[in-house]
């Protein structure tokens, strides 16, 4: 059984969102001379936007030359289009990106792609034009990157020929003297590649065939931190779910540099670096081994304590992936100090951090050597709290971690002490795999309740505070075997703890006690809601159905409702003490030929006699209570049990109190026990009734007698 890793696609989207936000911030800081940019308010007309975009596109189409004026106009046009796209994306909370659509529909893409390359005559221009070197190309790359945010436009931009030009921009640093401008061009080219390839497998492959990956890997060592971050972001996207790209990135010797970047003090750099490594190792066992051999483990563990929550999240995810490699890796991760920061992350207000740390701990907890350490470091309580999460993945990862921790006998008592069993039983789990995982955890705990573990729990039940005592008693009621029930609940007063819960004021504790007692009774006996009748000390004589009310050889007659009912003394004498007293004692019926029975209906008496003559009878609900009264009067225990069984099928929330009183009136032990079990099982419904507390007080003495008797019964040693 494994658990689901966090959604890698969701992680990729978060990465893109973070990159866009950073780009917007940096672009705001970079605006210097181009402050007068038209800004189209959300409520301005669509026509105004179209008019402005077409004007800028026309400028781009008419300024592809090396003249200073054209270069300045082209630079400003790319900037205006970038601002329009950027502001449209920022203000579009529904992610429809309508402004982006308008820019594309107005023909901006071909014009921008054309300006990714400088005009030929501008390559050797004089120094007066150097102020525009790379600026137009940078602006075009930035605008295209923003347009590529919408997946529908990615292929259109590539088909317009953008990729070769973007890859070519990655080489600009090799023969340029304008460092600031070229750095910006390279960074914007890398960002555009990132956005174009986002969740687009074909474009990822095209970047590789265009020769982009070796250039990006080389730029990881570039002196400019922003360039490092941008190219790492591109490699991160290209490595996502593309095995050939992963292979080439590793072959280009990216790993040593990426691992150095993990130790960077720049949060943006180590965030992208850990993201690249995470995508490289995802579903790639061989690359995972190479990454570990290259020394990535310790710096990744170090990122768990980073001030950057995104890096913490990615590091936890990556450790979870490392932990799937082999058992030794799980142990090494724990030995190198990963557990304390992961447990701290479980308590973070950031849901994504909690999810990733639970994912990592879940993987680590499947190794026997780690289980006690995770629990002793304080992992149990926060994991149990996360069981209540409304996030299905977080809930499942926490359940999986607890499943692993429950495998260690040293953790069982600690888990029970903090109420873990009740938490698992009461949880409202979203996904079926989570429900299955919790069921397996409870089963695993059940298998541990013996020997030293059981002795420890019984000791806690005797000497701990009342809260722990109750938690232990509740857990043992559900988890212990029938063989151990007497020792736990009779010899060590566990029954008193459970019964005491029924009279507390807390509905939750009352409910827990009721369900635990019901579970205890269910496990203690394999019988149905009633016991079998005790065997008669006298041999039974069954004449058969043909002799019921048959005058043949009849030697006694009963008068029922004025009608004669023929019977045979030999059959009656063997059936019960009541008839033996009637015919062998000093009663007047001893020698009477006709015996009047004044208080029984004919159909009831006939059915009773049929039972006496055959040993069995079908009892329907309509006659069951009258037949029970007759069976009790004539001491026919077997017939009483049949009547009790039939009546017990009719117990309901509305009549259980009456049924219990009926069982007391006729000493119907099986019916009484059925009522007790029903009351315990149906707590949720019965507790809403105003008479419920009074009913519990009434039945508690009988409940104690019932459990004392049933738990004291000898149990076969070979009982499963």
């Amino acid at each position: 059984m494994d658990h689901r890793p966090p959604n890698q696609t969701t992680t990729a989207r978060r990465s893109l969102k973070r990159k866009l936000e950073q780009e917007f911030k940096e672009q705001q800081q970079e605006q210097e001379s181009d402050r007068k940019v038209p800004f189209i308010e959300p409520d301005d007309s669509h026509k105004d936007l179209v008019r402005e975009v077409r004007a800028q596109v026309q400028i781009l189409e008419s300024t592809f030359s090396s003249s200073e004026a054209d270069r300045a106009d082209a630079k400003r046009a790319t900037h205006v289009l970038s601002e329009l796209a950027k502001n449209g994306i920022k203000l579009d909370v529904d992610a429809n990106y309508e402004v982006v659509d308008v820019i594309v529909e107005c023909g901006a893409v071909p014009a921008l792609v054309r300006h990714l390359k400088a005009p030929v005559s501008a390559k050797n221009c004089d120094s007066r034009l150097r102020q525009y070197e790379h600026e137009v190309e940078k602006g075009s790359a930035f605008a295209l990157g923003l347009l590529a945010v919408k997946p529908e436009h990615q292929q259109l931009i590539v088909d317009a020929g953008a990729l070769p030009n973007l890859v070519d921009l990655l080489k600009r640093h090799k023969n340029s003297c304008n460092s600031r401008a070229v750095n910006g061009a390279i960074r914007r080219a890398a960002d555009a590649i990132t956005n174009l390839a986002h969740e687009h497998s074909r474009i990822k492959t095209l970047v590789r065939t265009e020769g982009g990956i070796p250039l990006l890997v080389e730029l990881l060592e570039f002196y400019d931190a922003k360039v490092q971050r941008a190219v790492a972001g591109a490699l991160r996207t290209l490595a996502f779910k593309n095995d050939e790209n992963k292979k080439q990135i590793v072959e280009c010797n990216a790993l040593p540099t990426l691992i150095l970047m993990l130790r960077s003090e720049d949060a943006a750099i180590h965030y992208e670096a850990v993201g690249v490594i995470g995508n490289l190792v995802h579903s790639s066992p061989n690359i995972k081994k190479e990454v570990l051999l290259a020394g990535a483990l310790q710096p990744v563990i170090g990122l768990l304590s980073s001030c950057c929550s995104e890096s913490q999240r990615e590091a936890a995810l990556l450790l979870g992936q490392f932990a799937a490699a082999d058992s030794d890796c799980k142990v090494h991760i724990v030995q190198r100090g990963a557990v304390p920061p992961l447990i701290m992350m479980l308590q973070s207000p950031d849901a994504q951090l909690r999810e990733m740390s639970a994912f990592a701990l879940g993987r680590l907890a499947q190794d026997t050597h780690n289980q006690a350490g995770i629990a002793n470091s304080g992992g149990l309580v926060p994991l149990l709290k996360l069981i209540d999460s409304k996030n299905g993945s977080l809930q499942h990862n926490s359940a999986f971690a607890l499943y692993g921790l429950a495998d260690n006998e040293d953790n069982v008592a600690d888990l029970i002490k903090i109420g873990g069993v009740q938490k698992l039983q009461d949880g409202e789990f979203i996904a079926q795999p989570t429900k299955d995982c919790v069921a397996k955890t409870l089963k695993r705990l059940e298998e541990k309740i013996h020997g030293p573990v059981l002795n420890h729990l019984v000791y806690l039940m005797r000497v701990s505070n009342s809260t722990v005592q109750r938690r232990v008693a509740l857990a043992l009621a559900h988890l212990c075997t029938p063989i151990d029930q007497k020792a736990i609940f009779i010899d060590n007063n566990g029954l008193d703890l459970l019964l005491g819960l029924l009279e507390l004021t807390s509905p939750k504790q009352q409910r827990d006690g009721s369900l635990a007692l019901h579970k205890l009774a269910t496990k203690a006996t394999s019988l149905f809601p009633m016991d079998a009748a005790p065997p008669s000390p006298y041999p039974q004589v069954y004449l058969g159905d043909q002799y019921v009310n048959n005058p043949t050889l009849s030697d006694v007659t009963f008068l029922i409702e004025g009608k004669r009912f023929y019977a045979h003394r030999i059959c009656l004498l063997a059936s019960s003490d009541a008839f033996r007293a009637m015919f062998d004692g000093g009663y007047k019926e001893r020698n009477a030929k006709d015996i009047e029975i004044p208080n029984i209906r004919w159909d009831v008496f006939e059915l009773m006699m049929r039972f006496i003559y055959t040993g069995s009878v079908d009892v329907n609900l309509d006659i069951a209570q009258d037949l029970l009264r007759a069976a009790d009067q004539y001491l026919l225990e077997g017939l009483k049990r049949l009547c009790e069984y039939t009546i017990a099928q009719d117990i309901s929330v509305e009549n259980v109190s009456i049924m219990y009183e009926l069982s007391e009136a006729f000493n119907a032990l099986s019916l009484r026990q059925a009522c007790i079990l029903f009351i315990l099982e149906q707590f949720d419904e019965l507790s809403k009734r105003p008479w419920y507390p009074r009913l519990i007080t009434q039945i508690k003495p009988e409940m104690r007698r019932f459990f004392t008797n049933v738990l004291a019964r000898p149990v076969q040693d070979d009982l499963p």
Side-chain angles (χ1 to χ4, degrees):
M1 180 181 66
D2 201 353
H3 63 159
R4 298 164 296 178
N7 190 308
Q8 294 281 335
T9 301
T10 302
T11 302
R13 288 176 181 152
R14 283 199 301 260
S15 175
L16 177 60
K17 181 174 182 291
R18 183 181 189 276
K19 182 181 292 295
L20 287 173
E21 291 172 349
Q22 185 68 26
E23 284 178 354
F24 296 159
K25 183 178 179 181
E26 291 173 359
Q27 182 73 357
Q28 192 73 25
Q29 295 170 348
E30 289 176 0
Q31 292 177 7
E32 295 172 356
S33 60
D34 297 308
R35 290 289 180 185
K36 298 178 181 179
V37 178
F39 182 77
I40 309 297
E41 295 288 350
D43 55 352
D44 283 352
S45 70
H46 180 75
K47 291 181 180 179
D48 292 340
L49 176 63
V50 171
R51 184 166 48 251
E52 180 64 33
V53 172
R54 284 178 176 169
Q56 302 307 322
V57 171
Q58 188 175 8
I59 291 171
L60 288 175
E61 291 173 342
S62 61
T63 57
F64 191 67
S65 77
S66 59
S67 75
E68 180 179 358
D70 284 349
R71 294 287 282 174
D73 289 344
K75 174 188 174 184
R76 186 176 185 281
T78 61
H79 181 67
V80 171
L81 291 175
S82 298
E83 284 295 294
L84 290 172
K86 180 183 71 173
N87 291 325
I89 292 170
K90 286 173 66 177
L91 295 171
D92 197 338
V93 294
D94 297 326
N96 293 323
Y97 304 146
E98 293 178 1
V99 174
V100 170
D101 288 338
V102 170
I103 295 173
V104 172
E105 289 164 4
C106 289
V109 169
L112 289 167
V113 169
R114 187 182 186 197
H115 280 276
L116 286 174
K117 294 187 74 172
V120 175
S121 57
K123 292 182 179 179
N124 298 312
C125 62
D126 59 39
S127 59
R128 291 177 302 142
L129 301 182
R130 289 295 174 88
Q131 61 178 312
Y132 299 116
E133 185 180 19
H134 312 297
E135 294 287 355
V136 179
E137 296 87 339
K138 179 182 78 170
S140 297
F142 183 49
L144 288 168
L146 292 172
L147 299 182
V149 168
K150 196 160 185 177
E152 294 92 317
H153 304 323
Q154 293 169 341
Q155 192 61 52
L156 174 68
I157 295 170
V158 170
D159 291 343
L163 271 184
N165 292 341
L166 289 170
V167 171
D168 189 60
L169 282 177
L170 299 176
K171 308 173 186 175
R172 285 287 179 99
H173 65 289
K174 295 185 177 181
N175 51 12
S176 174
C177 59
N178 189 340
S179 60
R180 182 178 180 278
V182 78
N183 293 354
I186 294 171
R187 181 159 58 91
R188 293 308 183 195
D191 288 340
I193 289 171
T194 300
N195 293 355
L196 283 170
H198 179 65
E199 296 186 23
H200 201 303
S201 179
R202 181 173 177 272
I203 294 177
K204 291 177 185 177
T205 300
L206 286 175
V207 173
R208 184 181 74 250
T209 58
E210 290 288 343
I213 288 179
L215 293 171
L216 290 167
V217 172
E218 179 184 342
L219 287 167
L220 287 174
E221 299 185 30
F222 200 68
Y223 65 88
D224 185 89
K226 292 180 180 179
V227 171
Q228 291 179 33
R229 186 181 69 222
V231 297
L235 289 170
R236 175 187 188 140
T237 298
L238 296 173
F240 183 60
K241 293 184 179 179
N242 191 305
D243 291 340
E244 290 301 317
N245 282 4
K246 292 181 186 182
K247 181 180 177 183
Q248 189 173 67
I249 292 169
V250 174
E251 288 175 348
C252 289
N253 202 32
L255 291 182
T257 306
L258 287 170
I259 291 170
L260 286 174
M261 291 169 70
L262 292 177
R263 301 181 185 273
S264 170
E265 294 183 1
D266 186 330
I269 288 179
H270 59 59
Y271 165 72
E272 295 294 355
V274 73
V276 179
I277 294 173
N279 286 349
L280 287 173
V281 306
H282 180 62
S283 301
S284 301
N286 291 332
I287 293 179
K288 189 183 300 182
K289 291 179 182 178
E290 288 190 54
V291 168
L292 289 170
L293 287 172
L297 184 55
Q298 195 60 51
V300 170
I301 292 173
L303 288 181
L304 295 177
S305 302
S306 167
C307 60
C308 172
S309 61
E310 290 95 338
S311 294
Q312 288 180 292
R313 184 183 66 230
E314 295 295 330
L317 172 60
L318 186 51
L319 287 176
Q321 293 172 322
F322 285 161
D326 54 61
S327 183
D328 286 345
C329 186
K330 292 183 178 72
V331 174
H332 292 157
I333 292 171
V334 172
Q335 288 175 340
R336 290 171 180 240
V339 169
L342 284 172
I343 291 174
M344 287 186 66
M345 289 165 63
L346 288 177
Q347 302 164 72
S348 166
D350 186 331
Q352 295 169 358
L353 274 184
R354 297 197 300 270
E355 180 182 348
M356 297 298 181
S357 57
F359 169 72
L361 287 168
R363 287 277 177 88
L364 295 173
Q366 305 314 306
D367 186 88
T368 305
H369 299 91
N370 297 338
Q371 291 158 355
I374 293 173
N376 290 334
S377 297
L380 287 174
V381 171
L383 286 169
L384 279 173
K385 286 182 179 178
L386 295 180
I387 286 291
D388 292 332
S389 170
K390 302 303 180 185
N391 179 319
S393 296
L394 178 53
Q395 195 180 67
H396 185 80
N397 290 339
S398 304
F400 186 67
L402 290 167
Y403 169 76
L405 297 180
D407 192 40
N408 191 298
E409 291 187 353
D410 292 333
N411 294 339
V412 174
D414 290 334
L415 191 56
I416 290 174
K417 277 172 59 179
I418 60 176
V421 171
Q422 289 78 48
K423 199 83 168 175
L424 293 172
Q425 290 172 332
D426 295 341
E428 296 180 1
F429 304 111
I430 298 168
Q432 186 59 45
T434 307
K435 297 176 184 177
D436 295 340
C437 182
V438 169
K440 291 180 179 179
T441 302
L442 291 170
K443 182 65 177 175
R444 177 171 274 184
L445 289 170
E446 185 177 344
E447 292 168 352
K448 305 291 183 186
I449 307 299
H450 58 80
V453 173
L454 178 57
N455 292 338
H456 184 191
L457 289 169
V458 171
Y459 175 76
L460 290 175
M461 198 172 66
R462 289 201 313 267
V463 304
S464 298
N465 62 61
S466 59
T467 299
V468 172
Q469 287 179 326
R470 290 166 182 161
R471 286 172 176 171
V472 173
L474 288 168
L476 289 177
H478 290 277
L479 302 178
C480 76
T481 65
I483 294 174
D484 296 318
Q485 286 179 330
K486 179 179 179 294
I488 297 168
F489 295 99
I490 303 299
D491 301 342
N492 286 282
N493 299 320
L495 180 59
D496 290 335
L497 291 169
L498 296 181
L499 291 172
L501 289 170
L502 301 182
E503 296 186 352
L504 296 179
T505 56
S506 165
K508 172 69 169 64
Q509 290 180 313
Q510 291 176 354
R511 183 179 187 275
D512 288 344
S514 293
L515 297 183
L517 285 166
H518 183 265
K519 180 70 173 180
L520 195 61
T522 302
K523 289 199 297 182
T525 175
S526 60
L527 298 176
F528 290 102
M530 61 172 198
D531 291 324
S536 172
Y538 300 97
Q540 298 297 292
V541 177
Y542 299 121
L543 296 181
D545 192 63
Q546 67 273 24
Y547 284 99
V548 176
N549 197 19
N550 189 333
T552 303
L553 301 177
S554 172
D555 54 3
V556 64
T557 304
F558 294 98
L559 295 177
I560 313 296
E561 296 180 338
K563 295 185 290 184
R564 294 183 181 277
F565 194 101
Y566 299 97
H568 306 78
R569 291 174 183 263
I570 187 172
C571 191
L572 299 174
L573 286 166
S575 65
S576 78
D577 289 338
F579 284 113
R580 281 189 287 275
M582 181 184 292
F583 296 122
D584 285 347
Y587 296 99
K588 62 180 181 179
E589 292 89 353
R590 176 176 182 178
N591 298 314
K593 179 64 176 174
D594 296 325
I595 302 172
E596 185 175 0
I597 306 295
N599 57 351
I600 300 179
R601 299 197 321 262
W602 173 272
D603 56 342
V604 175
F605 188 82
E606 181 186 31
L607 203 57
M608 181 180 76
M609 298 303 286
R610 196 172 299 281
F611 175 81
I612 292 171
Y613 276 69
T614 64
S616 65
V617 71
D618 291 331
V619 180
N620 61 51
L621 191 58
D622 295 337
I623 203 172
Q625 291 194 28
D626 290 330
L627 192 57
L628 173 64
R629 184 180 292 106
D632 182 63
Q633 180 179 341
Y634 289 97
L635 306 180
L636 297 168
E637 291 298 322
L639 182 58
K640 276 185 68 174
R641 292 297 188 270
L642 291 176
C643 295
E644 291 176 61
Y645 179 75
T646 300
I647 295 169
Q649 309 312 302
D650 191 45
I651 297 175
S652 67
V653 172
E654 288 73 22
N655 69 16
V656 65
S657 181
I658 297 171
M659 292 294 194
Y660 186 81
E661 291 174 359
L662 180 70
S663 73
E664 288 195 314
F666 297 110
N667 195 31
L669 297 179
S670 294
L671 178 58
R672 192 178 307 166
Q673 293 169 12
C675 290
I676 289 172
L677 293 178
F678 182 88
I679 290 167
L680 293 172
E681 185 179 22
Q682 298 297 322
F683 171 84
D684 291 338
E685 290 300 320
L686 287 169
S687 60
K688 300 173 186 176
R689 302 301 196 270
W691 41 260
Y692 175 76
R694 186 174 68 254
L695 177 63
I696 289 297
T697 302
Q698 177 187 355
I699 71 169
K700 189 175 176 183
E702 180 58 34
M703 198 182 295
R704 182 184 300 277
R705 281 192 292 272
F706 164 67
F707 277 101
T708 300
N709 291 336
V710 77
L711 296 178
R713 290 174 181 171
V715 181
Q716 295 177 351
D717 290 339
D718 60 349
L719 187 69

mmCIF file of all heavy atoms in Angstrom, residues 22 36 62 171 309 438 474 572 678 696 707:
data_model
loop_
_atom_site.group_PDB
_atom_site.id
_atom_site.type_symbol
_atom_site.label_atom_id
_atom_site.label_comp_id
_atom_site.label_asym_id
_atom_site.label_seq_id
_atom_site.Cartn_x
_atom_site.Cartn_y
_atom_site.Cartn_z
ATOM 1 N N GLN A 22 6.851 37.465 -9.741
ATOM 2 C CA GLN A 22 8.187 38.038 -9.610
ATOM 3 C C GLN A 22 8.509 38.922 -10.808
ATOM 4 O O GLN A 22 9.099 39.998 -10.669
ATOM 5 C CB GLN A 22 9.218 36.906 -9.482
ATOM 6 C CG GLN A 22 10.638 37.379 -9.208
ATOM 7 C CD GLN A 22 10.771 38.001 -7.823
ATOM 8 O OE1 GLN A 22 10.017 37.672 -6.930
ATOM 9 N NE2 GLN A 22 11.725 38.909 -7.663
ATOM 10 N N LYS A 36 5.340 56.772 -19.432
ATOM 11 C CA LYS A 36 4.066 57.172 -20.015
ATOM 12 C C LYS A 36 3.499 56.044 -20.866
ATOM 13 O O LYS A 36 3.519 56.077 -22.088
ATOM 14 C CB LYS A 36 4.258 58.431 -20.847
ATOM 15 C CG LYS A 36 4.734 59.628 -20.021
ATOM 16 C CD LYS A 36 4.955 60.836 -20.892
ATOM 17 C CE LYS A 36 5.460 62.010 -20.073
ATOM 18 N NZ LYS A 36 5.710 63.203 -20.907
ATOM 19 N N SER A 62 6.438 48.473 -38.745
ATOM 20 C CA SER A 62 7.047 49.513 -39.593
ATOM 21 C C SER A 62 8.408 49.992 -39.091
ATOM 22 O O SER A 62 8.988 50.905 -39.675
ATOM 23 C CB SER A 62 6.099 50.720 -39.686
ATOM 24 O OG SER A 62 5.877 51.279 -38.395
ATOM 25 N N LYS A 171 22.466 33.004 -26.342
ATOM 26 C CA LYS A 171 23.900 33.062 -26.663
ATOM 27 C C LYS A 171 24.438 34.495 -26.639
ATOM 28 O O LYS A 171 25.639 34.699 -26.865
ATOM 29 C CB LYS A 171 24.150 32.481 -28.058
ATOM 30 C CG LYS A 171 23.564 31.104 -28.289
ATOM 31 C CD LYS A 171 23.712 30.705 -29.762
ATOM 32 C CE LYS A 171 23.004 29.397 -30.072
ATOM 33 N NZ LYS A 171 23.052 29.065 -31.515
ATOM 34 N N SER A 309 9.060 29.508 2.203
ATOM 35 C CA SER A 309 8.119 28.392 2.350
ATOM 36 C C SER A 309 8.035 27.554 1.075
ATOM 37 O O SER A 309 7.831 26.338 1.136
ATOM 38 C CB SER A 309 6.733 28.906 2.723
ATOM 39 O OG SER A 309 6.218 29.761 1.722
ATOM 40 N N VAL A 438 -6.958 3.805 6.786
ATOM 41 C CA VAL A 438 -7.300 3.891 8.209
ATOM 42 C C VAL A 438 -7.746 2.526 8.725
ATOM 43 O O VAL A 438 -7.369 2.116 9.844
ATOM 44 C CB VAL A 438 -8.403 4.949 8.426
ATOM 45 C CG1 VAL A 438 -8.963 4.861 9.842
ATOM 46 C CG2 VAL A 438 -7.849 6.343 8.167
ATOM 47 N N LEU A 474 -11.333 2.345 26.053
ATOM 48 C CA LEU A 474 -12.076 2.437 24.800
ATOM 49 C C LEU A 474 -11.335 1.733 23.664
ATOM 50 O O LEU A 474 -11.934 0.991 22.879
ATOM 51 C CB LEU A 474 -12.307 3.907 24.431
ATOM 52 C CG LEU A 474 -13.324 4.673 25.282
ATOM 53 C CD1 LEU A 474 -13.240 6.173 24.998
ATOM 54 C CD2 LEU A 474 -14.742 4.169 25.012
ATOM 55 N N LEU A 572 -46.745 -34.070 28.030
ATOM 56 C CA LEU A 572 -46.759 -32.866 28.868
ATOM 57 C C LEU A 572 -45.824 -32.992 30.057
ATOM 58 O O LEU A 572 -45.134 -32.042 30.437
ATOM 59 C CB LEU A 572 -48.175 -32.584 29.352
ATOM 60 C CG LEU A 572 -49.226 -32.308 28.254
ATOM 61 C CD1 LEU A 572 -50.615 -32.199 28.855
ATOM 62 C CD2 LEU A 572 -48.863 -31.048 27.495
ATOM 63 N N PHE A 678 -29.082 -3.231 21.717
ATOM 64 C CA PHE A 678 -29.716 -2.243 20.846
ATOM 65 C C PHE A 678 -29.506 -0.833 21.403
ATOM 66 O O PHE A 678 -29.186 0.099 20.658
ATOM 67 C CB PHE A 678 -31.214 -2.539 20.722
ATOM 68 C CG PHE A 678 -31.943 -1.606 19.798
ATOM 69 C CD1 PHE A 678 -32.031 -1.883 18.449
ATOM 70 C CD2 PHE A 678 -32.525 -0.437 20.278
ATOM 71 C CE1 PHE A 678 -32.698 -1.011 17.588
ATOM 72 C CE2 PHE A 678 -33.188 0.431 19.430
ATOM 73 C CZ PHE A 678 -33.277 0.141 18.079
ATOM 74 N N ILE A 696 -30.920 4.678 30.872
ATOM 75 C CA ILE A 696 -29.556 4.213 31.165
ATOM 76 C C ILE A 696 -29.410 3.901 32.650
ATOM 77 O O ILE A 696 -28.832 2.867 33.045
ATOM 78 C CB ILE A 696 -28.523 5.273 30.719
ATOM 79 C CG1 ILE A 696 -28.443 5.336 29.193
ATOM 80 C CG2 ILE A 696 -27.143 4.959 31.288
ATOM 81 C CD1 ILE A 696 -27.951 4.053 28.544
ATOM 82 N N PHE A 707 -22.493 -7.993 31.253
ATOM 83 C CA PHE A 707 -21.092 -7.993 30.814
ATOM 84 C C PHE A 707 -20.227 -8.839 31.742
ATOM 85 O O PHE A 707 -19.300 -9.522 31.281
ATOM 86 C CB PHE A 707 -20.562 -6.559 30.728
ATOM 87 C CG PHE A 707 -20.909 -5.872 29.441
ATOM 88 C CD1 PHE A 707 -21.948 -4.966 29.377
ATOM 89 C CD2 PHE A 707 -20.209 -6.161 28.283
ATOM 90 C CE1 PHE A 707 -22.279 -4.338 28.192
ATOM 91 C CE2 PHE A 707 -20.528 -5.539 27.084
ATOM 92 C CZ PHE A 707 -21.576 -4.631 27.041
#
